[in-house]
């Protein structure tokens, strides 16, 4: 308990706003690496996932590639990329590693969102004369959006937790406090940096949860409960009508 109190004292001390690595600057760097990496991963994975989900081709290859990417050790990948691209391009190496980490979750969310759609809905859209482009943007994308946001949510949480290791190659972020605190045995600093990372992860998770709930189409979210609530009433009305007519 004393360690936790020390960590909070470290976090809220005036020294966190000054010095070579102020806390607000570290948070900004951490979020910058997170958002840039997830954005690049989304630009790569979403079109590919939509193509796989729309055509139904290449799913096995995507699953194999995603599984292989998940198995890569992020720390080792960053060090390897730094050695390959040179110490002057360490930000590029780190972002590349985080992009590789984020792609599997986004890719899975993109094509799984399309696969979860009832095929009868797709067939009905085509029967109405919609082109494949219209089916994609007016039917599949809106209905598959919740699962896509779920994939983005998972990828963001993975990246925001992993960005801490970027400090090992002197790229800053909140991991700076953890890496610096280990040799100095500053456990309050280590725990304080970890608490900020956890707080950022919870905040981002909450924001994505709200977005995921907001993007659910109204007909999908409200149609089924309304139908279930109204069906018993309709059945009672149908059953009771002949009896009432007979009494008349």
């Amino acid at each position: 308990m004393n360690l936790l109190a020390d960590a909070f004292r470290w976090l809220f001390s005036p020294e966190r706003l000054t010095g070579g690595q102020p806390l607000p600057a570290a948070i900004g760097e951490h979020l910058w690496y997170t958002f840039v990496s997830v954005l690049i991963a989304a630009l790569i994975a979403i079109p590919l996932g939509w193509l796989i989900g729309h055509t139904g081709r290449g799913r096995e290859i995507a699953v194999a590639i995603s599984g292989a990417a998940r198995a890569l050790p992020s720390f080792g990948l960053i060090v390897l990329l730094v050695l390959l691209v040179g110490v002057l391009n360490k930000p590029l190496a780190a972002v590349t590693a985080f992009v590789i980490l984020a792609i599997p979750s986004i890719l899975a969310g993109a094509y799984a969102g399309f696969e979860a759609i009832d095929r009868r809905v797709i067939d009905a859209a085509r029967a109405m004369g919609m082109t494949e482009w219209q089916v994609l943007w007016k039917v599949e994308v809106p209905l598959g959006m919740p699962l896509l946001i779920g994939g983005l949510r998972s990828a963001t949480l993975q990246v925001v937790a992993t960005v801490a290791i970027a400090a090992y190659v002197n790229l800053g972020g909140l991991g700076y406090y953890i890496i610096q605190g280990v040799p100095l045995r500053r456990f309050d600093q280590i725990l304080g940096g970890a608490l900020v990372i956890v707080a950022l992860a919870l905040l981002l998770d909450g924001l994505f949860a709200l977005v995921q709930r907001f993007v659910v189409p109204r007909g999908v979210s409200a149609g089924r409960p309304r139908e279930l609530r109204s069906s018993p009433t309709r059945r009672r009305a149908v059953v009771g009508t002949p009896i009432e007519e007979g009494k008349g």
Side-chain angles (χ1 to χ4, degrees), residues 127-160:
M128 292 174 61
M130 285 189 177
T131 64
E132 291 300 311
W133 191 254
Q134 290 174 325
V135 170
L136 174 67
W137 287 106
K138 294 185 177 181
V139 179
E140 291 179 320
V141 169
L143 293 178
M145 190 62 66
L147 285 181
L148 173 60
I149 299 299
L152 288 167
R153 178 181 179 182
S154 177
T156 302
L157 293 180
Q158 288 178 324
V159 173
V160 78

Side-chain angles (χ1 to χ4, degrees), residues 210-227:
L210 290 175
V211 174
Q212 191 173 7
R213 186 173 182 178
F214 177 76
V215 299
V216 176
R218 291 185 178 180
V220 174
S221 60
R224 187 176 298 274
R226 190 176 301 168
E227 180 182 350

